[in-house]
Amino acid sequence: MRIKTIIIILITVLFTVVLMQNTGRVTFSFLWADFSISKLTMLLIVAVVAFIIGVLVGRPNKVKRLGGDPIDENPDHTNPNTLSDEDREYIN
């Protein structure tokens, strides 16, 4: 197994142990309301919200282009020399 798979399994097992040990009820205050909810449910809600935020933040951004596709100045690729006169002068 790869190390990433082992770490994921280990974190999942530890998370399950924490959830199973916290099944008591707790009073949760949100703004003006008080809720009596089990710790297990609260931890699950927090874990799901954290996972969703992690997925949204961690995914790569799409590349945005201003305009159309780039135009190839040499579509048949007959001239492989792409150096400008200034570049050729600098090299020599």
Side-chain angles (χ1 to χ4, degrees):
M1 273 199 277
R2 294 179 12 198
I3 190 74
K4 183 178 179 182
T5 307
I6 293 171
I7 290 173
I8 291 172
I9 291 171
L10 183 65
I11 289 173
T12 305
V13 168
L14 290 175
F15 181 68
T16 305
V17 169
V18 169
L19 288 178
M20 292 300 119
Q21 289 179 346
N22 292 295
T23 57
R25 302 213 45 91
V26 65
T27 302
F28 177 69
S29 299
F30 182 71
L31 297 176
W32 61 86
D34 292 331
F35 302 100
S36 180
I37 190 169
S38 71
K39 290 180 189 176
L40 176 66
T41 306
M42 194 64 209
L43 285 171
L44 282 173
I45 291 169
V46 169
V48 168
V49 170
F51 178 78
I52 291 170
I53 290 172
V55 168
L56 292 175
V57 170
R59 66 182 172 166
N61 295 333
K62 293 182 180 178
V63 178
K64 296 180 181 177
R65 295 184 181 167
L66 300 174
D69 293 331
I71 298 172
D72 191 6
E73 293 180 9
N74 189 10
D76 56 353
H77 302 289
T78 55
N79 186 7
N81 190 359
T82 58
L83 293 175
S84 66
D85 293 334
E86 293 175 357
D87 290 339
R88 276 192 221 98
E89 194 174 302
Y90 177 77
I91 291 172
N92 293 332

